[in-house]
Amino acid sequence: MEDKDGVLARLQARIADAELVDMSSVRIGDILYVPLDEDDGLTLTGGYDTRKKYIVIIGFTPEGIAVGALLINSEIDPSKRSQEMMDCQYPLLLRDYRGILDYDSWLDCSDIFELSKQKVAERKGRLKGRLISADRDRVMQFLKETDVFDNVTKRRFGII
């Protein structure tokens, strides 16, 4: 269908603006969509400089300038197929995240990414939703109890 008056384009622009994340109001369990690069700790393949990823906020640094986040992946990375790493993959079911995910996915609880709030805002990160309370509670309990991260890391993001 032709959009002679640009109505659809204006609506899409309004929706995009409404999703821009206000980093001052981000909470634990919020799901953001943001471009990440190798400086953020992401391994990029295929010649890309950045890759848009869904992340889940799991904590904040004591000084409040950065967040701790986990990545959502559609498939488990082959390098994380050991039993210890498989135990760190939390399933996110499509039925619970229809407005966000296109299929069942995995929250990778084996690696915490530290991202500055300013960088997320500058990259026009988008707030897409939040974990359902049962998932948020289970993930945070796992992060408290796991030996994958030391207590210094857990304290840094307010997990313990």
Side-chain angles (χ1 to χ4, degrees), residues 127-140:
L127 178 63
K128 302 304 271 185
R130 65 188 336 252
L131 291 179
I132 62 172
S133 59
D135 287 345
R136 184 185 65 243
D137 294 347
R138 285 186 201 114
V139 166
M140 294 310 295

Side-chain angles (χ1 to χ4, degrees), residues 9-26:
R10 286 194 304 276
L11 178 60
Q12 289 171 328
R14 270 192 255 158
I15 291 170
D17 286 345
E19 286 182 343
L20 284 176
V21 67
D22 174 2
M23 291 305 293
S24 67
S25 63
V26 168

Side-chain angles (χ1 to χ4, degrees), residues 60-129:
F60 305 91
T61 58
E63 60 279 358
I65 61 169
V67 296
L70 304 174
L71 295 180
I72 297 176
N73 296 305
S74 56
E75 297 177 16
I76 297 173
D77 186 305
S79 69
K80 298 193 176 190
R81 298 269 178 178
S82 70
Q83 189 58 53
E84 180 184 29
M85 292 294 106
M86 290 296 291
D87 290 344
C88 296
Q89 307 303 312
Y90 186 85
L92 297 176
L93 304 178
L94 173 62
R95 70 175 182 246
D96 296 325
Y97 300 98
R98 287 221 181 263
I100 303 166
L101 302 176
D102 292 327
Y103 28 73
D104 290 344
S105 298
W106 300 93
L107 182 60
D108 183 354
C109 299
S110 70
D111 196 9
I112 297 175
F113 288 77
E114 183 172 320
L115 305 167
S116 79
K117 289 180 177 181
Q118 179 180 350
K119 195 173 194 180
V120 172
E122 287 172 355
R123 291 182 178 176
K124 300 184 189 246
R126 303 201 179 286
L127 178 63
K128 302 304 271 185

Side-chain angles (χ1 to χ4, degrees), residues 34-51:
V34 63
L36 299 178
D37 59 28
E38 290 181 343
D39 290 340
D40 301 316
L42 192 66
T43 302
L44 296 169
T45 57
Y48 294 103
D49 292 332
T50 64
R51 183 146 181 230

